[in-house]
Amino acid sequence: MYSANGPVRSMKDWLEYGIGFLEAHQIQDARTDAWILMEYTANINKSYYYMNMHEPMDAGDAEDYALLIHRRAEHIPVQYLTGEAWFYGRSFRVNESVLIPRQDTEVLVEEALKRIQPGMRVLDLCTGSGCILLTVLKEAQVTGVGSDISQEALLVAELNRKRIGVQANWIQSDLFENIGGRFDMILSNPPYIQSAVIDTLDPEVREHEPHIALDGSEDGLLFYRRIVEEAPSYLNPGGWVCMEIGYDQGQDLKGLFAENGQYTNFELIRDLSGLDRVVCAQLKGE
């Protein structure tokens, strides 16, 4: 292992060390992650790096960098190491109490914004970091409530609310358990991975992201059943339910909404890879 107390080494030497160490430990995107950790520990950008890469790296920064590289080699996600993830062009705080926001989930935001009208009241179930609700509130003139069963997740969501600069209310709740009033739109990225599949996921996910936010029961549909069944009691007539889904769950969700009989305008939306990613359905009017 490189030591910050050994011979003085340049930023370029440290970056190459980081890349090589991560590649040796089969870390995907080793080059990208090594740079992100360099940027984070040394507080530099690429322009500064290329102008100064042959200069010695600060000893304290080098020590921090080596530590983070070794932690990343243990498959701790880089977002948890830096405490930051980007979503819809904004920076969100994250830790191991919340799922890391992913680009696929931006499809859910985009579909929500297509259906939102000014003045609507929005509920985000299983809010986690709050990235979905807070993005919608930032992009549209609506009010919103986010709920999660995890108090630790809601603490992260509140940090992000202050960071993004919008107003939102948080409720600790198992789905609708502690929710009152009615809404014009219900959003959710609920747990949807089949229980038996979790042990097959990448170690970054199965060992570090919260299982409570991943496990969707034996068939992965437990939370969808509950939301589809209970949402009409919390939606205004004509209100929308929009949810992220697994790539192979589209037809199952179509069946759940159809069987319920209280919804119309069901739509299945694909992501940029052409995979089913979001479902939307509208509560029938009075």
Side-chain angles (χ1 to χ4, degrees), residues 1-278:
M1 174 179 173
Y2 268 24
S3 171
N5 297 319
V8 175
R9 293 184 171 87
S10 68
M11 287 188 288
K12 182 175 184 290
D13 291 335
W14 277 107
L15 182 60
E16 290 179 349
Y17 164 74
I19 294 169
F21 194 86
L22 294 183
E23 288 178 342
H25 287 79
Q26 288 78 52
I27 298 298
Q28 295 183 4
D29 300 320
R31 183 172 296 274
T32 298
D33 289 356
W35 165 252
I36 290 173
L37 295 177
M38 170 71 72
E39 185 179 42
Y40 173 71
T41 54
N43 192 27
I44 60 174
N45 57 31
K46 287 188 176 179
S47 296
Y48 181 90
Y49 171 79
Y50 285 117
M51 291 178 64
N52 298 276
M53 61 184 178
H54 297 296
E55 297 296 320
M57 190 171 178
D58 176 83
D61 292 344
E63 185 174 352
D64 291 342
Y65 184 69
L67 175 62
L68 289 179
I69 286 293
H70 279 247
R71 294 186 71 196
R72 180 69 188 101
E74 297 170 355
H75 294 278
I76 300 173
V78 69
Q79 294 91 341
Y80 289 153
L81 294 175
T82 64
E84 178 184 53
W86 286 83
F87 182 79
Y88 217 82
R90 297 183 179 92
S91 169
F92 287 83
R93 304 301 297 176
V94 294
N95 60 31
E96 293 195 5
S97 298
V98 300
L99 289 181
I100 297 167
R102 288 170 169 80
Q103 186 177 12
D104 288 341
T105 306
E106 293 183 1
V107 179
L108 175 57
V109 171
E110 290 167 356
E111 293 304 316
L113 292 175
K114 289 177 183 177
R115 295 164 173 81
I116 276 178
Q117 299 294 326
M120 279 186 169
R121 188 168 186 241
V122 178
L123 171 65
D124 179 27
L125 298 171
C126 309
T127 195
S129 68
C131 66
I132 295 170
L133 177 65
L134 295 174
T135 301
V136 168
L137 294 179
K138 193 70 173 180
E139 297 288 329
Q141 296 179 350
V142 295
T143 59
V145 174
S147 76
D148 202 288
I149 196 171
S150 166
Q151 182 62 35
E152 291 77 14
L154 294 178
L155 293 175
V156 177
E158 175 60 12
L159 289 175
N160 284 320
R161 185 197 66 77
K162 295 177 180 177
R163 190 181 184 92
I164 301 302
V166 297
Q167 293 298 316
N169 294 318
W170 310 113
I171 298 174
Q172 186 175 9
S173 180
D174 179 3
L175 291 185
F176 296 101
E177 181 180 32
N178 297 322
I179 303 299
R182 288 186 177 267
F183 300 85
D184 303 293
M185 178 175 287
I186 295 174
L187 304 174
S188 187
N189 178 17
Y192 60 71
I193 298 174
Q194 296 177 17
S195 300
V197 173
I198 290 178
D199 285 341
T200 71
L201 300 175
D202 290 340
E204 282 83 353
V205 178
R206 72 170 184 264
E207 295 174 10
H208 297 285
E209 299 205 54
H211 277 216
I212 195 172
L214 297 171
D215 193 342
S217 78
E218 183 177 358
D219 64 359
L221 299 174
L222 172 65
F223 292 88
Y224 296 118
R225 289 193 186 92
R226 291 181 59 188
I227 293 171
V228 170
E229 178 182 352
E230 297 177 43
S233 297
Y234 298 87
L235 277 174
N236 289 318
W240 288 92
V241 175
C242 295
M243 299 183 288
E244 180 171 337
I245 62 170
Y247 73 94
D248 58 351
Q249 295 175 320
Q251 294 307 309
D252 289 324
L253 265 295
K254 183 177 182 178
L256 288 177
F257 277 109
E259 182 180 350
N260 182 275
Q262 299 181 75
Y263 298 92
T264 186
N265 294 328
F266 175 87
E267 188 173 357
L268 184 58
I269 299 99
R270 295 179 176 177
D271 60 23
L272 294 176
S273 299
L275 302 174
D276 292 344
R277 183 58 56 193
V278 169

